[in-house]
Amino acid sequence: MVTRKWLQWRSLQMTCILPVMACSSFVPSSLPFWMQDRLVSSPVFGHGRPIIRSMFLRRSISVSFGIRSEEAENNDDGLLSLWETLLERFQGDFDNYRQVVRDRSNQMLPREGGGHEHIHCTLVPILYDEHASDYNKLHYSVLAAFYFDGLPQRIFRFRRYALTTSHTSQEVQMKLYTLSPDLEQILRAQSSNPETWNQIVASFHNSEEPDECSKVLWNELMGCDVTWTMTPNDVHLQYCANHKNPQQPTPQGPEERVVGKGHENFDPLDATHAVMTNGEALVTSTMGDPVELLIRDELSLWQDDFWINDRGYLASSKNVMVYGNWNGVPYQLERVTRWNKEGIERIPINTTTTRDDLTWTLGESWRTEAEYQANLDAVGGISTQTNNK
C-alpha cells in the first residue's frame, strides 16, 4: 500500500541525482530499490556499449561531473563547497608531460637528476558503491590508474580511492585500496578503455557464480588514509610558492612558448589539499623484491591541475629515497579529459592556444605512431630509471 509518508520519502529521493559514469546493460540486483528504478540503459555513440545513466545520493543537491551546481558556486566556505569541489575535480585524466619537457630542457633527468618521470593519472568514478546504504555519510569512489610515458599498458599503480564525509564535518576522508588480482588483471586488459571499467566491476558484483560473488574486490591499505580540506598546510604553501608554472619551451622548438591555463601562479587558496592522516605510513612494496617503505605524500587539486608530492623511502634508512622527486618538486599533472555531465564519456580539453592538447597521452587510439615517437623523442625517450614502487 502506498502511503502519503512513503510518497513524501520517495519525492525527497528524486531530488538527489548524481550522474555517474557506467557501462552496463543490467541493473545489479543488490543495488537498493531507489537506485534500481532509475538505472536506464542506452547505446553510447554508436559503439554498441550500453550505459547506466544515473544514480541517487540522499542529499538535496544536484551534482554533475565537470559542472558545479549553482548552490555550490554560491557557497564557498562550508562542507558543500569542499565535497562538491572534489566530486567535480577528482575525475578524468591528468598528465605531466609538459613538466617533463621543462625538466629535459634544463637537462634534468628523473630521480637523482632532479627531474620527473612522465606519468599519467586516470580517475574513473565508480557506479557500484558497497557503502551506499550508509545513510549517515556521503560516499564517492574512483578507480585510479597511474601509468608511464603515455602507455596505458604500463600501469604502475592501480587503486580504489573511497571518499567519505559526514554532513557536519569540514574534512573529507579518503581510504586507499588495492584491487584483487583477478579484478586487476581484467581491468589491466582494458587499460586503454576506462569506459568499460564500471561494467567489469559490476560484473564481479553481479556474477551468478558463488565463488565470484564472494570474492573480495578491494583490500584496504591500512594506515594510508588521506584527509582532504580547503586549507593548505606549510608544505602546500611552500611548493605552491616555489614551483610556479612559468612560460615553458615546447617540443616544437624554442621559439614557441606555452603559458599555462591563463595563469602563471597556482594560488593555494584556489585548490583542495590533502595530507596523509597520520603524516606517514609504512607499506610493503608490491613490485620487485618485497621491501618496507616509508611513504609521505601531499596533494593539491585545482580545477584543471593535480599536483602529487608522493615520496617513498627505505624504512630501514629514511634518508634513502626509493621514488618521488629528489628535489621535492611535486609531479605537476594537467587535466587532459573530464567525464561529461552525464558521466558516460571522457571529453578532451584543450588547455592552451599555442600547441596541440595532450590527448595523445591517452593511448594508441588517440594518436599516430609518428606523433607518439616525436613527443617521446622530445623528452629523450622512455622515462629512465623507472621506480620500483
Side-chain angles (χ1 to χ4, degrees):
M1 179 177 179
V2 177
T3 65
R4 179 179 298 180
K5 184 176 181 180
W6 186 91
L7 288 173
Q8 290 173 341
W9 164 241
R10 194 63 166 164
S11 177
L12 176 63
Q13 291 173 345
M14 299 293 286
T15 66
C16 312
I17 300 175
L18 170 63
V20 296
M21 178 290 221
C23 302
S24 179
S25 58
F26 56 84
V27 178
S29 59
S30 56
L31 289 178
F33 76 92
W34 50 272
M35 280 185 183
Q36 292 184 26
D37 63 4
R38 290 290 295 177
L39 297 179
V40 183
S41 297
S42 67
V44 181
F45 303 108
H47 294 296
R49 290 196 301 268
I51 57 94
I52 298 174
R53 296 219 173 176
S54 62
M55 64 176 282
F56 296 103
L57 290 181
R58 287 179 168 84
R59 179 76 164 162
S60 57
I61 55 176
S62 176
V63 182
S64 297
F65 292 127
I67 298 180
R68 296 194 67 181
S69 71
E70 182 178 353
E71 186 176 358
E73 293 290 353
N74 294 332
N75 183 355
D76 290 329
D77 298 323
L79 167 65
L80 185 63
S81 176
L82 173 60
W83 182 251
E84 283 206 352
T85 297
L86 283 173
L87 288 182
E88 176 209 6
R89 296 179 180 179
F90 202 54
Q91 51 93 3
D93 288 86
F94 297 85
D95 195 276
N96 78 326
Y97 177 74
R98 290 181 184 139
Q99 180 183 39
V100 175
V101 172
R102 295 196 302 271
D103 285 348
R104 302 304 182 266
S105 69
N106 291 315
Q107 288 74 54
M108 298 170 65
L109 296 177
R111 296 175 61 86
E112 292 85 353
H116 298 78
E117 299 90 353
H118 176 201
I119 65 172
H120 187 103
C121 172
T122 299
L123 299 173
V124 178
I126 299 177
L127 169 66
Y128 189 97
D129 189 345
E130 62 193 34
H131 299 290
S133 60
D134 184 350
Y135 308 147
N136 297 317
K137 289 188 176 181
L138 301 172
H139 298 273
Y140 174 66
S141 293
V142 299
L143 286 172
F146 296 81
Y147 57 80
F148 287 118
D149 303 308
L151 298 171
Q153 63 270 32
R154 288 194 66 199
I155 293 175
F156 64 90
R157 184 184 302 165
F158 220 144
R159 297 284 187 265
R160 176 201 178 203
Y161 296 150
L163 287 73
T164 62
T165 191
S166 68
H167 295 280
T168 59
S169 176
Q170 299 300 310
E171 299 178 342
V172 172
Q173 302 300 320
M174 185 171 80
K175 289 186 175 294
L176 282 61
Y177 297 83
T178 59
L179 281 56
S180 71
D182 289 342
L183 176 60
E184 182 166 344
Q185 180 180 11
I186 296 175
L187 289 172
R188 282 177 176 269
Q190 294 295 324
S191 59
S192 296
N193 301 295
E195 294 84 357
T196 67
W197 292 357
N198 265 289
Q199 183 178 9
I200 293 170
V201 172
S203 69
F204 269 73
H205 283 295
N206 202 57
S207 174
E208 295 180 357
E209 297 294 330
D211 290 343
E212 294 292 329
C213 283
S214 62
K215 284 183 178 178
V216 176
L217 299 189
W218 332 105
N219 295 287
E220 183 178 349
L221 284 168
M222 303 303 295
C224 293
D225 293 12
V226 167
T227 300
W228 288 92
T229 70
M230 297 295 289
T231 306
N233 68 7
D234 290 343
V235 175
H236 298 130
L237 291 172
Q238 181 177 4
Y239 67 53
C240 287
N242 292 346
H243 309 298
K244 301 176 182 179
N245 186 34
Q247 290 189 333
Q248 52 190 295
T250 70
Q252 284 78 2
E255 301 302 322
E256 185 178 5
R257 305 186 72 80
V258 173
V259 179
K261 289 156 286 299
H263 53 65
E264 294 183 0
N265 300 333
F266 286 90
D267 187 343
L269 299 181
D270 291 337
T272 56
H273 303 278
V275 296
M276 300 190 72
T277 305
N278 298 320
E280 57 189 27
L282 290 174
V283 301
T284 300
S285 172
T286 58
M287 296 182 66
D289 296 332
V291 59
E292 194 170 48
L293 300 177
L294 178 70
I295 307 301
R296 294 171 181 156
D297 198 5
E298 293 88 26
L299 308 170
S300 292
L301 180 61
W302 288 267
Q303 177 73 19
D304 290 320
D305 296 271
F306 187 20
W307 288 16
I308 304 173
N309 194 30
D310 187 15
R311 295 95 67 209
Y313 305 85
L314 285 179
S316 59
S317 181
K318 297 182 181 180
N319 62 337
V320 177
M321 180 174 277
V322 177
Y323 69 88
N325 181 260
W326 261 240
N327 290 345
V329 180
Y331 290 81
Q332 299 174 0
L333 285 70
E334 298 177 60
R335 184 179 294 281
V336 184
T337 73
R338 63 171 61 253
W339 294 100
N340 67 349
K341 65 179 182 179
E342 290 83 16
I344 60 175
E345 181 192 18
R346 287 188 301 173
I347 304 298
I349 65 169
N350 194 344
T351 56
T352 74
T353 57
T354 56
R355 61 156 290 171
D356 292 338
D357 59 34
L358 295 171
T359 54
W360 66 270
T361 64
L362 298 173
E364 293 180 356
S365 63
W366 296 83
R367 66 193 180 222
T368 65
E369 182 58 34
E371 179 185 11
Y372 178 71
Q373 192 61 50
N375 284 306
L376 200 64
D377 291 344
V379 293
I382 293 291
S383 294
T384 59
Q385 299 293 320
T386 300
N387 68 49
N388 293 317
K389 186 177 179 183

